[in-house]
Amino acid sequence: MNLQEIKGEDYSVQYIEESVTVKIEGELSLTGSADYAPITALLNEIAERNPPMITLDLKKLEFLNSSGISMLSKFAIAMRKKKTIQLAVIGSDDIPWQRKSLQNFLKLCPNLQLTLE
């Protein structure tokens, strides 16, 4: 199993190549786009490989600040422009920010598959 991981004090980002899934867990509250650059680079690197689907598993992401939401929003817009890749987002219905914010991704990327569990 090939796995790439970015870890911080309160969060982890894992890429599972076999399922083309990025799992983001914990509390992600980095300062700005420069601090989010390694995560952005990972997402862009995955997209450059043109898989049929990329899944973002956010079920255990307890907190995401506005800079993080902006980073994911920009990625969703990029996926909308790349018509060959389906973007799927799995979130948790039990985490209040996800119920509200993840719905907004549908406006940015209408063909996004959103699942709240």
Side-chain angles (χ1 to χ4, degrees), residues 25-94:
E25 300 179 350
E27 295 183 12
L28 197 48
S29 57
L30 303 175
T31 310
S33 59
D35 289 342
Y36 279 100
I39 299 168
T40 301
L42 175 64
L43 292 172
N44 290 335
E45 181 183 316
I46 295 164
E48 285 171 14
R49 297 176 186 171
N50 277 317
M53 178 178 277
I54 298 173
T55 302
L56 300 179
D57 181 345
L58 309 178
K59 291 186 304 244
K60 294 184 179 175
L61 184 58
E62 298 291 330
F63 177 79
L64 183 64
N65 68 357
S66 59
S67 295
I69 289 172
S70 175
M71 173 207 51
L72 290 181
S73 296
K74 288 176 184 173
F75 184 68
I77 291 167
M79 291 302 92
R80 178 184 72 205
K81 293 176 182 173
K82 229 175 163 61
K83 307 246 184 256
T84 57
I85 301 174
Q86 172 72 56
L87 181 61
V89 176
I90 304 169
S92 171
D93 204 28
D94 295 332

